[in-house]
Amino acid sequence: MLSLAVAASQFLFATNTEAHALPQVPFLPRGEKKVLQCFMEKEEWDNRTSPVEFLLLALHNVPELQMPLFLLSLIIYMGTMFVNILIVVLLVPDQHLHTPMSVFLGNFSSVEMCCTSRILPKLLASFLSRDRALSAQGCMTQLFFFGSFAGTECYLLATTSCDRYLAICQPLLYASLMNWKLCLQLVAGSWLAGLLMSTIVTRLFFKSQCCGPNASDHFFCDFAPLLELACSDSTVLRLVTFIICFLDVVFPFVFTLASYICIIAVILRIPATTGRQKAFSTCSSHLILVTLFYGTLIVV
């Protein structure tokens, strides 16, 4: 649900930006335009610099849409949290549901709740207070957790597709191959991979320099909008991020796609219609989730 919201909001913001140019708001002290070290360690600040605030403008010049957007975002947030909490609550107490697939699904729901809670509460507050400012430290925190959770989701989808591949294409070996040890290792690896990739990108952003005013026509601190504000050489940052995006997004997507090509090929070879329907029903929900997740991600 959050992915759908991000895609829809991106479209609205892009359309709005074409009609209304960003105002030149003096975000720096005394309206000065100077190159600042955007993300500095606390002891590195001197008398010439002060902590930078970023303004997340995001439809700021359409006041009549603030309340409808607030209500829409609130519905999305409450719906996302309710559905994912319900999934976790239903999975935990029922021993019959303690399967590798359920573990992957429960972790995905947990990640989705964490990711949603890092973005939408701040967005909801900004609609009511009209305060779009976010400190550099807060912006980097949001970027770090969003990148970490998004990467973890990609890897969890890939591991779930691996589980479905073994269950359908190798049913006799499934119990021995997808044991609890491997299941927990895949889950832990997904969390650690997302955390590691996001840490590298965030650390590189800490060394970037930004030119004021630091205005972003976006509703949260994402990589691309922040990169547009950098005025220092970002060649290394772009290269490292490209590699990380390949490992974090493209590789899991290709792995998931290849798994489902094999799964569909096996299902189509099943002679009985009932057998095909039963096999497809075991992975249809995950296939819908993969389509929505990567579909909206590609749109964004």
Side-chain angles (χ1 to χ4, degrees), residues 165-231:
Y165 169 80
L166 293 176
I168 295 175
C169 301
Q170 304 291 337
L172 298 180
L173 300 176
Y174 175 77
S176 59
L177 292 176
M178 189 56 70
N179 51 50
W180 278 107
K181 181 180 179 180
L182 178 60
C183 176
L184 296 178
Q185 287 175 345
L186 291 173
V187 170
S190 298
W191 282 89
L192 291 176
L195 181 65
L196 176 62
M197 303 297 182
S198 186
T199 300
I200 296 173
V201 173
T202 306
R203 183 58 185 172
L204 289 175
F205 255 118
F206 263 84
K207 300 178 181 179
S208 300
Q209 289 181 329
C210 294
C211 296
N214 296 318
S216 175
D217 192 27
H218 204 44
F219 62 97
F220 74 100
C221 290
D222 200 5
F223 175 80
L226 288 179
L227 192 60
E228 294 177 358
L229 303 178
C231 55

Side-chain angles (χ1 to χ4, degrees), residues 61 135 241 274:
N61 52 356
S135 67
T241 304
T274 304

Side-chain angles (χ1 to χ4, degrees), residues 14-85:
T15 304
N16 179 69
T17 305
E18 294 176 1
H20 303 278
L22 294 178
Q24 296 298 318
V25 183
F27 304 116
L28 300 182
R30 296 179 299 279
E32 296 176 339
K33 283 189 176 182
K34 60 174 71 174
V35 178
L36 297 180
Q37 185 73 20
C38 297
F39 313 111
M40 304 178 71
E41 300 296 336
K42 186 175 180 179
E43 61 271 17
E44 292 179 351
W45 293 104
D46 56 35
N47 294 331
R48 295 171 299 169
T49 61
S50 60
V52 177
E53 283 190 341
F54 291 91
L55 284 195
L56 307 177
L57 301 180
L59 290 179
H60 66 290
N61 52 356
V62 190
E64 64 272 12
L65 291 181
Q66 299 304 295
M67 188 53 63
L69 286 172
F70 170 79
L71 295 175
L72 176 62
S73 301
L74 181 62
I75 293 173
I76 291 174
Y77 181 57
M78 294 180 63
T80 301
M81 297 300 293
F82 174 78
V83 170
N84 286 288
I85 289 175

Side-chain angles (χ1 to χ4, degrees), residues 25-290:
V25 183
F27 304 116
L28 300 182
R30 296 179 299 279
E32 296 176 339
K33 283 189 176 182
K34 60 174 71 174
V35 178
L36 297 180
Q37 185 73 20
C38 297
F39 313 111
M40 304 178 71
E41 300 296 336
K42 186 175 180 179
E43 61 271 17
E44 292 179 351
W45 293 104
D46 56 35
N47 294 331
R48 295 171 299 169
T49 61
S50 60
V52 177
E53 283 190 341
F54 291 91
L55 284 195
L56 307 177
L57 301 180
L59 290 179
H60 66 290
N61 52 356
V62 190
E64 64 272 12
L65 291 181
Q66 299 304 295
M67 188 53 63
L69 286 172
F70 170 79
L71 295 175
L72 176 62
S73 301
L74 181 62
I75 293 173
I76 291 174
Y77 181 57
M78 294 180 63
T80 301
M81 297 300 293
F82 174 78
V83 170
N84 286 288
I85 289 175
L86 182 63
I87 291 174
V88 175
V89 169
L90 291 177
L91 290 178
V92 171
D94 194 340
Q95 294 292 332
H96 297 89
L97 296 177
H98 289 183
T99 62
M101 182 66 176
S102 300
V103 173
F104 296 140
L105 181 60
N107 274 270
F108 189 89
S109 296
S110 301
V111 175
E112 186 69 13
M113 286 189 289
C114 294
C115 187
T116 306
S117 298
R118 286 306 309 171
I119 296 176
L120 288 184
K122 172 61 180 176
L123 179 64
L124 292 171
S126 68
F127 281 137
L128 294 179
S129 66
R130 306 296 174 89
D131 180 16
R132 305 305 175 93
L134 187 62
S135 67
Q137 292 79 7
C139 189
M140 283 296 95
T141 301
Q142 194 175 72
L143 174 67
F144 170 76
F145 282 109
F146 176 77
S148 177
F149 294 142
T152 301
E153 285 182 318
C154 291
Y155 284 109
L156 283 174
L157 287 176
T159 55
T160 309
S161 67
C162 177
D163 175 80
R164 293 300 85 201
Y165 169 80
L166 293 176
I168 295 175
C169 301
Q170 304 291 337
L172 298 180
L173 300 176
Y174 175 77
S176 59
L177 292 176
M178 189 56 70
N179 51 50
W180 278 107
K181 181 180 179 180
L182 178 60
C183 176
L184 296 178
Q185 287 175 345
L186 291 173
V187 170
S190 298
W191 282 89
L192 291 176
L195 181 65
L196 176 62
M197 303 297 182
S198 186
T199 300
I200 296 173
V201 173
T202 306
R203 183 58 185 172
L204 289 175
F205 255 118
F206 263 84
K207 300 178 181 179
S208 300
Q209 289 181 329
C210 294
C211 296
N214 296 318
S216 175
D217 192 27
H218 204 44
F219 62 97
F220 74 100
C221 290
D222 200 5
F223 175 80
L226 288 179
L227 192 60
E228 294 177 358
L229 303 178
C231 55
S232 58
D233 185 11
S234 59
T235 304
V236 176
L237 177 60
R238 290 176 183 272
L239 178 61
V240 172
T241 304
F242 177 81
I243 296 173
I244 288 178
C245 284
F246 179 83
L247 297 175
D248 229 10
V249 179
V250 179
F251 175 73
F253 173 70
V254 172
F255 183 86
T256 303
L257 184 63
S259 298
Y260 270 101
I261 290 175
C262 296
I263 290 172
I264 292 173
V266 170
I267 291 177
L268 292 177
R269 289 200 298 266
I270 298 176
T273 303
T274 304
R276 287 198 299 268
Q277 292 176 346
K278 183 178 180 180
F280 187 75
S281 65
T282 62
C283 61
S284 58
S285 58
H286 180 254
L287 182 59
I288 294 173
L289 180 61
V290 169

Side-chain angles (χ1 to χ4, degrees), residues 4-22:
L4 292 173
V6 169
S9 301
Q10 286 274 13
F11 175 77
L12 288 173
F13 299 159
T15 304
N16 179 69
T17 305
E18 294 176 1
H20 303 278
L22 294 178

